[in-house]
Amino acid sequence: MIRARRSIVHEINAGSIADIAFLLLIFFLLTSTMDRNYSMRRDLPAESQEQSNVANRNVLTFSLNGMNELSVNNKAETFDKVSARVKEFILNPTGSAELSEKVNKNVKLLGEVPVSAGVISIKTDDNTSYSAYYRLTDFINKAFLEMKDQQAQKVFGMTYGKLDDLRRKAIDESVPVSIAE
Amino acid sequence: MPTVSTAALPDIIFMLLFFFMMTSTIRRHTAKVNIKLPTAQTVEKRTDSDGVCFVYIGESRTGGQGMLVQVNDDFVDIAKVGATVMAEKKKLTQPKQDKFIVSLKIHKDARMKLVKQVKDQLKQVGAMQIDYSGTHSTF
């Protein structure tokens, strides 16, 4: 009797497992999105105290007009020069009196280092398109990332991305990103 | 007539299922506006999605209304963006509120006038941490 039953029920019908899996698959397809969240982090500046107590040489002004044309300190400029301009302004390799001032600052891990007091100012017109503004901030970010990488190579012999939090903070302090809008 | 064995079909479907589960993220809100994000090289992947409030600025799907502002799930009048964002913040738990961040998803053709208005609103209510969404490009 028992023998006979065993021989009848020899396997579970797995035909509907595919249907169940399909159902799950469709559920996930509907509830999820493929778009990755890529974004640029930015802290909004507290009410503008800029201009007033920052010396002229320490401000580099990027302006975008209503036609999305770029000018740097009121002179027309092309977008692909933005990174170079920012780097020149912040690093001030020749010690020019027109470019940003270096102030010695005590940074953890690094000791006394010259830190630029430069401020990047971004001015836009009401009619400027967001993509132009985005492009400009992208180039400015790029300049700062490259300078941080350079600094990290110089003092720690590694790229910025490979540093641990403590060292990264030291680099952040020695290459401060100050952007006013 | 010999039949094709479908025994491996569930395995294939399961593999697809796992693939989609790994590569996708749960959709939280649905943008009710059309948004084409600008592209940039320096965008980074957001690491944690906790304590994020989304502000969408884009073209209305029905057309004719210009750019609309949507906070999380609802359309909001431009003057009420700040208040709405703060109301959304209140809904979160305390640890999430501490790292509150406003993610701006803005159509690339939006005018800066609107963007500035939104930013001013956020400044007024003290939501200072923001990020600008964009598409990643590597050229």
Side-chain angles (χ1 to χ4, degrees), chain B residues 17-56:
Chain B
L17 177 66
F18 288 139
F19 170 74
F20 277 105
M21 279 170 75
M22 301 314 284
T23 54
S24 59
T25 44
I26 299 278
R27 188 199 304 267
R28 301 209 167 175
H29 308 286
T30 318
K32 294 171 185 158
V33 286
N34 287 333
I35 296 173
K36 262 185 109 178
L37 292 172
T39 46
Q41 298 171 50
T42 60
V43 285
E44 289 165 18
K45 220 177 127 185
R46 197 185 304 106
T47 43
D48 55 332
S49 49
D50 284 344
V52 185
C53 175
F54 291 95
V55 175
Y56 305 87

CSV table of all heavy atoms in Angstrom, one decimal, chain B residues 17-56:
chain,number,residue,atom,x,y,z
B,17,LEU,N,15.3,38.0,-12.6
B,17,LEU,CA,14.8,38.7,-11.4
B,17,LEU,C,15.9,39.2,-10.5
B,17,LEU,O,15.9,40.3,-10.1
B,17,LEU,CB,13.9,37.6,-10.6
B,17,LEU,CG,13.3,38.1,-9.3
B,17,LEU,CD1,12.3,39.2,-9.6
B,17,LEU,CD2,12.6,37.0,-8.6
B,18,PHE,N,16.9,38.3,-10.2
B,18,PHE,CA,18.0,38.7,-9.4
B,18,PHE,C,18.8,39.9,-10.0
B,18,PHE,O,19.1,40.8,-9.3
B,18,PHE,CB,18.9,37.6,-9.1
B,18,PHE,CG,18.3,36.6,-8.2
B,18,PHE,CD1,18.5,35.2,-8.4
B,18,PHE,CD2,17.6,37.0,-7.1
B,18,PHE,CE1,17.9,34.3,-7.5
B,18,PHE,CE2,17.0,36.1,-6.2
B,18,PHE,CZ,17.2,34.7,-6.4
B,19,PHE,N,19.0,39.8,-11.3
B,19,PHE,CA,19.7,40.9,-12.0
B,19,PHE,C,19.0,42.2,-11.8
B,19,PHE,O,19.6,43.2,-11.4
B,19,PHE,CB,19.8,40.6,-13.5
B,19,PHE,CG,20.3,41.7,-14.3
B,19,PHE,CD1,21.6,42.1,-14.3
B,19,PHE,CD2,19.4,42.5,-15.1
B,19,PHE,CE1,22.1,43.1,-15.0
B,19,PHE,CE2,19.9,43.6,-15.8
B,19,PHE,CZ,21.2,43.9,-15.8
B,20,PHE,N,17.6,42.2,-12.0
B,20,PHE,CA,16.9,43.5,-11.8
B,20,PHE,C,16.9,43.9,-10.4
B,20,PHE,O,16.9,45.1,-10.1
B,20,PHE,CB,15.5,43.3,-12.3
B,20,PHE,CG,15.4,43.5,-13.8
B,20,PHE,CD1,15.3,42.5,-14.7
B,20,PHE,CD2,15.5,44.8,-14.4
B,20,PHE,CE1,15.2,42.7,-16.1
B,20,PHE,CE2,15.5,45.0,-15.7
B,20,PHE,CZ,15.4,43.9,-16.6
B,21,MET,N,16.8,43.0,-9.4
B,21,MET,CA,16.8,43.4,-8.0
B,21,MET,C,18.1,44.0,-7.6
B,21,MET,O,18.2,45.0,-6.8
B,21,MET,CB,16.6,42.1,-7.1
B,21,MET,CG,15.1,41.7,-7.0
B,21,MET,SD,14.9,40.2,-6.3
B,21,MET,CE,15.3,40.6,-4.6
B,22,MET,N,19.2,43.5,-8.2
B,22,MET,CA,20.5,44.1,-7.9
B,22,MET,C,20.8,45.5,-8.5
B,22,MET,O,21.4,46.4,-7.9
B,22,MET,CB,21.7,43.2,-8.3
B,22,MET,CG,21.7,41.8,-7.7
B,22,MET,SD,21.3,41.8,-5.9
B,22,MET,CE,22.9,42.3,-5.3
B,23,THR,N,20.3,45.6,-9.7
B,23,THR,CA,20.7,46.8,-10.5
B,23,THR,C,19.8,48.0,-10.3
B,23,THR,O,20.1,49.1,-10.6
B,23,THR,CB,20.8,46.6,-12.0
B,23,THR,OG1,19.6,46.0,-12.4
B,23,THR,CG2,21.9,45.7,-12.3
B,24,SER,N,18.6,47.8,-9.7
B,24,SER,CA,17.6,48.9,-9.7
B,24,SER,C,17.4,49.3,-8.2
B,24,SER,O,17.8,48.7,-7.3
B,24,SER,CB,16.3,48.4,-10.3
B,24,SER,OG,15.8,47.3,-9.6
B,25,THR,N,16.9,50.5,-8.1
B,25,THR,CA,16.6,51.0,-6.8
B,25,THR,C,15.1,51.2,-6.7
B,25,THR,O,14.4,51.4,-7.8
B,25,THR,CB,17.2,52.4,-6.6
B,25,THR,OG1,17.1,53.2,-7.8
B,25,THR,CG2,18.7,52.2,-6.3
B,26,ILE,N,14.5,51.2,-5.5
B,26,ILE,CA,13.1,51.4,-5.4
B,26,ILE,C,12.7,52.8,-5.8
B,26,ILE,O,13.3,53.7,-5.4
B,26,ILE,CB,12.7,51.1,-3.9
B,26,ILE,CG1,13.1,49.6,-3.5
B,26,ILE,CG2,11.2,51.3,-3.7
B,26,ILE,CD1,12.1,48.6,-4.0
B,27,ARG,N,11.6,52.8,-6.5
B,27,ARG,CA,11.1,54.1,-6.9
B,27,ARG,C,10.3,54.7,-5.8
B,27,ARG,O,9.5,54.1,-5.2
B,27,ARG,CB,10.2,53.9,-8.1
B,27,ARG,CG,9.7,55.2,-8.8
B,27,ARG,CD,8.5,54.9,-9.6
B,27,ARG,NE,8.8,53.8,-10.6
B,27,ARG,CZ,9.1,54.1,-11.9
B,27,ARG,NH1,9.3,55.3,-12.3
B,27,ARG,NH2,9.4,53.1,-12.7
B,28,ARG,N,10.7,56.0,-5.4
B,28,ARG,CA,10.0,56.6,-4.3
B,28,ARG,C,8.9,57.5,-4.7
B,28,ARG,O,7.8,57.5,-4.2
B,28,ARG,CB,11.0,57.3,-3.4
B,28,ARG,CG,12.1,56.4,-2.9
B,28,ARG,CD,12.6,56.9,-1.6
B,28,ARG,NE,13.4,55.8,-1.1
B,28,ARG,CZ,14.1,55.9,0.0
B,28,ARG,NH1,14.1,57.1,0.7
B,28,ARG,NH2,14.8,54.9,0.5
B,29,HIS,N,9.3,58.4,-5.6
B,29,HIS,CA,8.3,59.3,-6.1
B,29,HIS,C,8.2,59.3,-7.6
B,29,HIS,O,9.2,58.8,-8.2
B,29,HIS,CB,8.7,60.8,-5.7
B,29,HIS,CG,8.9,60.9,-4.2
B,29,HIS,ND1,7.9,60.8,-3.3
B,29,HIS,CD2,10.1,60.9,-3.5
B,29,HIS,CE1,8.5,60.9,-2.1
B,29,HIS,NE2,9.8,61.0,-2.2
B,30,THR,N,7.2,59.7,-8.1
B,30,THR,CA,7.1,59.7,-9.6
B,30,THR,C,7.0,61.2,-10.0
B,30,THR,O,6.2,62.0,-9.5
B,30,THR,CB,5.8,59.1,-10.0
B,30,THR,OG1,5.6,57.9,-9.3
B,30,THR,CG2,5.8,58.7,-11.5
B,31,ALA,N,8.0,61.6,-10.9
B,31,ALA,CA,8.0,62.9,-11.4
B,31,ALA,C,6.8,63.1,-12.3
B,31,ALA,O,6.5,62.3,-13.2
B,31,ALA,CB,9.3,63.2,-12.1
B,32,LYS,N,6.0,64.2,-12.0
B,32,LYS,CA,4.8,64.4,-12.8
B,32,LYS,C,5.1,65.5,-13.9
B,32,LYS,O,4.3,66.0,-14.5
B,32,LYS,CB,3.7,64.9,-12.0
B,32,LYS,CG,3.2,63.8,-11.0
B,32,LYS,CD,2.2,64.4,-10.0
B,32,LYS,CE,1.8,63.4,-9.0
B,32,LYS,NZ,1.3,64.0,-7.8
B,33,VAL,N,6.4,65.8,-14.0
B,33,VAL,CA,6.8,66.8,-15.0
B,33,VAL,C,7.9,66.1,-15.8
B,33,VAL,O,8.5,65.1,-15.4
B,33,VAL,CB,7.4,68.1,-14.3
B,33,VAL,CG1,6.3,68.9,-13.7
B,33,VAL,CG2,8.4,67.7,-13.3
B,34,ASN,N,8.1,66.6,-17.0
B,34,ASN,CA,9.2,66.1,-17.9
B,34,ASN,C,10.5,66.8,-17.5
B,34,ASN,O,10.6,68.0,-17.5
B,34,ASN,CB,8.8,66.4,-19.3
B,34,ASN,CG,7.7,65.5,-19.8
B,34,ASN,OD1,7.5,64.4,-19.3
B,34,ASN,ND2,7.0,66.0,-20.8
B,35,ILE,N,11.5,66.0,-17.2
B,35,ILE,CA,12.8,66.6,-16.9
B,35,ILE,C,13.9,65.9,-17.7
B,35,ILE,O,14.0,64.7,-17.7
B,35,ILE,CB,13.1,66.4,-15.4
B,35,ILE,CG1,12.0,67.1,-14.5
B,35,ILE,CG2,14.5,66.9,-15.0
B,35,ILE,CD1,12.1,66.9,-13.1
B,36,LYS,N,14.6,66.8,-18.4
B,36,LYS,CA,15.8,66.3,-19.0
B,36,LYS,C,17.0,66.9,-18.2
B,36,LYS,O,17.2,68.1,-18.2
B,36,LYS,CB,15.9,66.8,-20.4
B,36,LYS,CG,15.5,65.8,-21.5
B,36,LYS,CD,15.7,66.3,-22.9
B,36,LYS,CE,16.8,65.5,-23.5
B,36,LYS,NZ,17.0,66.0,-24.9
B,37,LEU,N,17.7,66.1,-17.5
B,37,LEU,CA,18.8,66.6,-16.6
B,37,LEU,C,20.0,67.1,-17.4
B,37,LEU,O,20.3,66.5,-18.5
B,37,LEU,CB,19.2,65.5,-15.6
B,37,LEU,CG,18.2,65.1,-14.6
B,37,LEU,CD1,18.7,63.9,-13.8
B,37,LEU,CD2,17.9,66.2,-13.6
B,38,PRO,N,20.7,68.1,-16.9
B,38,PRO,CA,21.9,68.5,-17.6
B,38,PRO,C,23.0,67.5,-17.4
B,38,PRO,O,22.9,66.7,-16.4
B,38,PRO,CB,22.2,69.8,-16.9
B,38,PRO,CG,21.6,69.7,-15.6
B,38,PRO,CD,20.4,68.9,-15.7
B,39,THR,N,24.0,67.5,-18.2
B,39,THR,CA,25.1,66.5,-18.0
B,39,THR,C,26.3,67.2,-17.4
B,39,THR,O,26.6,68.4,-17.6
B,39,THR,CB,25.5,65.9,-19.4
B,39,THR,OG1,25.7,66.9,-20.3
B,39,THR,CG2,24.5,64.9,-19.8
B,40,ALA,N,27.1,66.5,-16.7
B,40,ALA,CA,28.3,67.0,-16.1
B,40,ALA,C,29.3,65.9,-15.8
B,40,ALA,O,28.9,64.7,-15.8
B,40,ALA,CB,28.0,67.7,-14.8
B,41,GLN,N,30.6,66.2,-15.7
B,41,GLN,CA,31.6,65.2,-15.4
B,41,GLN,C,31.8,65.0,-14.0
B,41,GLN,O,32.2,63.9,-13.6
B,41,GLN,CB,32.9,65.7,-16.1
B,41,GLN,CG,32.9,65.8,-17.5
B,41,GLN,CD,34.1,66.4,-18.1
B,41,GLN,OE1,35.2,66.0,-17.7
B,41,GLN,NE2,34.0,67.5,-18.9
B,42,THR,N,31.6,66.0,-13.1
B,42,THR,CA,32.0,65.9,-11.7
B,42,THR,C,30.8,65.4,-10.8
B,42,THR,O,31.0,65.5,-9.6
B,42,THR,CB,32.5,67.2,-11.2
B,42,THR,OG1,31.5,68.2,-11.3
B,42,THR,CG2,33.7,67.7,-12.0
B,43,VAL,N,29.7,64.9,-11.4
B,43,VAL,CA,28.7,64.5,-10.5
B,43,VAL,C,29.1,63.2,-9.8
B,43,VAL,O,29.8,62.4,-10.4
B,43,VAL,CB,27.4,64.2,-11.3
B,43,VAL,CG1,26.7,65.5,-11.7
B,43,VAL,CG2,27.6,63.4,-12.6
B,44,GLU,N,28.6,63.0,-8.6
B,44,GLU,CA,28.9,61.8,-7.9
B,44,GLU,C,27.6,61.1,-7.5
B,44,GLU,O,26.6,61.6,-7.5
B,44,GLU,CB,29.6,62.2,-6.5
B,44,GLU,CG,31.0,62.7,-6.7
B,44,GLU,CD,31.5,63.4,-5.5
B,44,GLU,OE1,30.9,63.2,-4.4
B,44,GLU,OE2,32.5,64.1,-5.6
B,45,LYS,N,27.8,59.8,-7.3
B,45,LYS,CA,26.6,59.0,-6.9
B,45,LYS,C,26.3,59.3,-5.5
B,45,LYS,O,27.2,59.3,-4.6
B,45,LYS,CB,27.0,57.5,-7.0
B,45,LYS,CG,25.9,56.7,-7.6
B,45,LYS,CD,26.4,55.3,-7.8
B,45,LYS,CE,25.4,54.4,-7.1
B,45,LYS,NZ,25.8,53.0,-7.1
B,46,ARG,N,25.0,59.6,-5.2
B,46,ARG,CA,24.6,59.8,-3.9
B,46,ARG,C,24.7,58.6,-3.1
B,46,ARG,O,24.2,57.5,-3.4
B,46,ARG,CB,23.2,60.4,-3.8
B,46,ARG,CG,22.9,61.1,-2.5
B,46,ARG,CD,21.5,61.5,-2.3
B,46,ARG,NE,21.1,62.4,-3.3
B,46,ARG,CZ,20.2,62.1,-4.3
B,46,ARG,NH1,19.8,60.9,-4.3
B,46,ARG,NH2,19.9,62.9,-5.2
B,47,THR,N,25.4,58.6,-1.9
B,47,THR,CA,25.7,57.4,-1.2
B,47,THR,C,24.5,56.9,-0.4
B,47,THR,O,24.1,55.7,-0.4
B,47,THR,CB,26.9,57.6,-0.2
B,47,THR,OG1,26.8,58.8,0.4
B,47,THR,CG2,28.2,57.5,-1.0
B,48,ASP,N,23.8,57.8,0.3
B,48,ASP,CA,22.7,57.3,1.1
B,48,ASP,C,21.4,58.1,0.7
B,48,ASP,O,21.5,59.3,0.4
B,48,ASP,CB,22.9,57.4,2.6
B,48,ASP,CG,23.2,58.8,3.0
B,48,ASP,OD1,23.8,59.6,2.2
B,48,ASP,OD2,22.9,59.2,4.1
B,49,SER,N,20.3,57.3,0.6
B,49,SER,CA,19.1,58.0,0.1
B,49,SER,C,18.2,58.3,1.3
B,49,SER,O,17.0,58.6,1.1
B,49,SER,CB,18.4,57.0,-0.9
B,49,SER,OG,18.3,55.8,-0.3
B,50,ASP,N,18.7,58.3,2.5
B,50,ASP,CA,17.9,58.6,3.7
B,50,ASP,C,17.8,60.2,3.8
B,50,ASP,O,18.8,60.9,3.5
B,50,ASP,CB,18.5,58.1,4.9
B,50,ASP,CG,18.2,56.6,5.0
B,50,ASP,OD1,17.4,56.1,4.3
B,50,ASP,OD2,18.9,55.9,5.8
B,51,GLY,N,16.7,60.6,4.3
B,51,GLY,CA,16.6,62.0,4.6
B,51,GLY,C,16.7,62.9,3.3
B,51,GLY,O,17.2,64.0,3.4
B,52,VAL,N,16.2,62.4,2.2
B,52,VAL,CA,16.3,63.2,1.0
B,52,VAL,C,14.9,63.7,0.6
B,52,VAL,O,13.9,63.0,0.7
B,52,VAL,CB,16.8,62.4,-0.2
B,52,VAL,CG1,17.0,63.3,-1.4
B,52,VAL,CG2,18.1,61.8,0.2
B,53,CYS,N,14.8,65.0,0.3
B,53,CYS,CA,13.5,65.6,-0.2
B,53,CYS,C,13.8,66.0,-1.6
B,53,CYS,O,14.8,66.6,-1.9
B,53,CYS,CB,13.1,66.8,0.6
B,53,CYS,SG,11.7,67.6,0.0
B,54,PHE,N,12.9,65.5,-2.5
B,54,PHE,CA,13.1,65.8,-3.9
B,54,PHE,C,12.3,67.0,-4.4
B,54,PHE,O,11.1,67.1,-4.1
B,54,PHE,CB,12.8,64.6,-4.8
B,54,PHE,CG,13.7,63.5,-4.6
B,54,PHE,CD1,13.4,62.5,-3.8
B,54,PHE,CD2,14.9,63.4,-5.4
B,54,PHE,CE1,14.3,61.4,-3.6
B,54,PHE,CE2,15.8,62.4,-5.2
B,54,PHE,CZ,15.5,61.4,-4.3
B,55,VAL,N,13.0,67.9,-5.1
B,55,VAL,CA,12.3,69.1,-5.7
B,55,VAL,C,12.5,68.9,-7.2
B,55,VAL,O,13.6,68.9,-7.7
B,55,VAL,CB,12.8,70.4,-5.2
B,55,VAL,CG1,12.2,71.5,-5.9
B,55,VAL,CG2,12.6,70.6,-3.7
B,56,TYR,N,11.4,68.8,-7.9
B,56,TYR,CA,11.5,68.7,-9.3
B,56,TYR,C,11.0,70.0,-10.0
B,56,TYR,O,10.1,70.6,-9.6
B,56,TYR,CB,10.5,67.6,-9.9
B,56,TYR,CG,10.7,66.2,-9.2
B,56,TYR,CD1,10.1,65.9,-8.0
B,56,TYR,CD2,11.5,65.3,-9.8
B,56,TYR,CE1,10.3,64.6,-7.5
B,56,TYR,CE2,11.7,64.0,-9.3
B,56,TYR,CZ,11.1,63.7,-8.1
B,56,TYR,OH,11.2,62.4,-7.5
